[in-house]
Amino acid sequence: MQLSICTISFRHHLVSLENIAEWARCHDFQGIELWGVHARGLETQPQYDAKWIKDMGLSISMLSDYLPIVGDARDAEEKCQHICRLANYWETSKVRTFAGHQASQLVDVKQRKTMTHRLHKICCYAADLGLDVLVETHPGTLADTPNSIIQLLEEVNHPALKLNFDTLHVWEAGEDPVAFHRRVAHCIGHYHLKNVRSRDQLNVFSPDNVYSPAGCRYGMVPLLEGAMDYHRFLPEVLKNDHATASLEWFGNDVKQTLLGDKAALDSVQRHIRMHS
């Protein structure tokens, strides 16, 4: 498995991409998941590009943003073109997005048809540029429950549509991540890995809390120390050498936690190989 860190983990830190990349390289990560906000901010710094990141021994594993599938069509088209252009600039083939910002049960049939049609158009545009569109499994979106995720894949019906399999959020929806992973493995383009101390603290990952500098971080825990059982799930992913994943850490002590999680993953992977 190829493992990345996320620049969003450093969203409240005064640190450069060069510093992040140097640290990632020194600690044997393979890639960086670049947040769209950061990608746009780097447009005025042409010294940072795909060649530079490759010379560092890394790659941009995914460009993560939020492509609008509701609202003004022209604004949505311009943002889609901008993000896809940035993905090409960084020579990544993956653009992450959310499937709207409403829970699937709150979206009526007409609204859903409009949203999935917009998502299909985004996939068509991205595919022409050699890109996949990865919809994240996430609460408060059309990809918030297993049934809605399967329905979304069928409705959009485009080969460029893939899943960013956020394991914790699948578990949050009440599904067995191992069982659901086996149902959709052929559609997964990337994984997000994170954990929580207990199920009743899942709201710590709500966007309003995560993006706030004053947000609560209590309940965010290292990968193998939380309520979701990654010991069951990880063998499903780690046996695939071509899988790509990001450690999505939003809490404090970023570098120390990422190093601890990477060491834990390496240990699990060694165990799997010894017993395979």
Side-chain angles (χ1 to χ4, degrees):
M1 183 178 70
Q2 300 174 45
L3 193 62
S4 294
I5 61 172
C6 303
T7 64
I8 198 172
S9 295
F10 300 88
R11 65 204 176 285
H12 303 311
H13 296 67
L14 188 61
V15 59
S16 68
L17 180 63
E18 186 169 1
N19 180 277
I20 293 171
E22 181 63 34
W23 183 85
R25 177 179 68 173
C26 288
H27 293 94
D28 297 323
F29 288 92
Q30 289 78 51
I32 293 176
E33 180 180 326
L34 185 60
W35 195 23
V37 173
H38 294 151
R40 290 189 290 276
L42 289 165
E43 287 185 284
T44 58
Q45 302 181 66
Q47 70 270 30
Y48 299 123
D49 58 11
K51 181 182 183 305
W52 169 80
I53 201 77
K54 287 181 179 179
D55 287 345
M56 296 281 285
L58 299 165
S59 66
I60 298 299
S61 57
M62 185 162 68
L63 184 64
S64 291
D65 208 89
Y66 315 92
L67 299 175
I69 59 173
V70 296
D72 184 82
R74 182 57 191 164
D75 289 346
E77 183 179 349
E78 289 178 357
K79 181 162 189 185
C80 177
Q81 291 173 356
H82 190 184
I83 293 302
C84 289
R85 185 167 66 249
L86 286 172
N88 279 162
Y89 176 80
W90 286 102
E91 295 183 11
T92 181
S93 62
K94 301 173 186 179
V95 172
R96 191 290 313 261
T97 189
F98 283 7
H101 296 280
Q102 286 181 278
S104 58
Q105 64 178 0
L106 301 178
V107 177
D108 63 33
V109 173
K110 183 178 179 181
Q111 288 174 313
R112 185 167 181 125
K113 185 175 181 179
T114 300
M115 294 165 76
T116 54
H117 177 70
R118 175 83 62 84
L119 189 51
H120 181 88
K121 289 182 66 176
I122 289 171
C123 288
C124 289
Y125 182 84
D128 286 343
L129 296 174
L131 305 172
D132 285 333
V133 177
L134 277 60
V135 166
E136 183 159 328
T137 56
H138 199 284
T141 71
L142 293 186
D144 57 358
T145 68
N147 287 341
S148 188
I149 292 166
I150 296 296
Q151 182 182 345
L152 182 67
L153 292 168
E154 293 172 348
E155 289 167 335
V156 177
N157 189 30
H158 196 287
L161 183 66
K162 301 290 192 297
L163 294 178
N164 181 46
F165 194 95
D166 190 304
T167 316
L168 183 72
H169 291 319
V170 172
W171 177 80
E172 179 178 358
E175 184 70 7
D176 174 7
V178 173
F180 187 61
H181 179 268
R182 290 173 181 171
R183 290 178 64 190
V184 298
H186 62 290
C187 297
I188 296 173
H190 195 77
Y191 297 87
H192 271 176
L193 306 175
K194 60 177 178 283
N195 215 334
V196 71
R197 187 180 306 277
S198 66
R199 185 174 283 276
D200 62 6
Q201 293 174 313
L202 281 163
N203 62 351
V204 75
F205 292 113
S206 66
D208 287 347
N209 182 67
V210 161
Y211 299 142
S212 170
C216 174
R217 307 295 179 237
Y218 184 76
M220 299 177 182
V221 295
L223 199 61
L224 300 187
E225 298 178 18
M228 202 224 115
D229 186 2
Y230 271 97
H231 290 284
R232 279 191 66 235
F233 180 76
L234 285 172
E236 296 288 310
V237 182
L238 292 175
K239 62 188 178 185
N240 180 2
D241 291 338
H242 300 292
T244 64
S246 298
L247 293 173
E248 193 182 35
W249 177 249
F250 294 115
N252 301 317
D253 301 321
V254 175
K255 291 181 178 179
Q256 298 93 317
T257 304
L258 292 175
L259 287 179
D261 281 350
K262 185 179 186 302
L265 284 172
D266 289 344
S267 177
V268 172
Q269 189 153 30
R270 285 193 299 270
H271 180 81
I272 292 170
R273 287 173 175 169
M274 286 175 59
H275 295 84
S276 61

